[in-house]
Amino acid sequence: MIDDPDNEWQDAEFTDADRALKTRVGSGGIPELLLQKAQESIDDNHSNDFKPYAEEYLKNISASLKALKDAEENAQRFVALQNISSNIMHLKANGGMFGYNLISMISNVALNF
């Protein structure tokens, strides 16, 4: 582990790809104009709200918890646990994407539990 995160990359070395690889994959890079348009689209997209998504995930978790409680076979329990985990992962990922970092952190704790 590096003690000083400010100097974490000071010893990094960059290696140019050989010509054969460059020929196969191309020169790469995204034109600046496309990056600007993408950023503008993200900045202007205020119509997407996290609340309906979060409510759906929480509803699914609640239903899966009930199914887990009522399950009589291990296969049913396994499916219920998968559904719970999947919905918590959605909360974690989408919480971060929409800027609700606390939801992401709590979801991460739930996943680790």
Side-chain angles (χ1 to χ4, degrees), residues 12-95:
E13 293 181 27
F14 292 93
T15 305
D16 287 327
D18 65 9
R19 187 175 156 162
L21 181 60
K22 284 183 180 179
T23 302
R24 287 184 12 208
V25 298
S27 60
I30 299 173
E32 186 66 29
L33 181 62
L34 289 178
L35 290 174
Q36 288 173 351
K37 285 184 178 182
Q39 187 61 50
E40 288 171 9
S41 177
I42 291 169
D43 292 341
D44 293 341
N45 190 3
H46 300 292
S47 62
N48 287 329
D49 186 17
F50 178 59
K51 185 178 178 183
Y53 296 106
E55 287 173 343
E56 186 68 24
Y57 299 138
L58 291 171
K59 186 173 76 174
N60 292 342
I61 291 169
S62 180
S64 296
L65 285 170
K66 183 180 180 329
L68 180 63
K69 182 179 176 184
D70 296 341
E72 295 179 7
E73 299 177 8
N74 283 338
Q76 293 171 321
R77 290 183 190 102
F78 181 75
V79 169
L81 287 171
Q82 276 186 317
N83 290 335
I84 291 168
S85 295
S86 176
N87 282 281
I88 292 173
M89 282 189 258
H90 284 297
L91 280 172
K92 181 182 177 208
N94 291 315

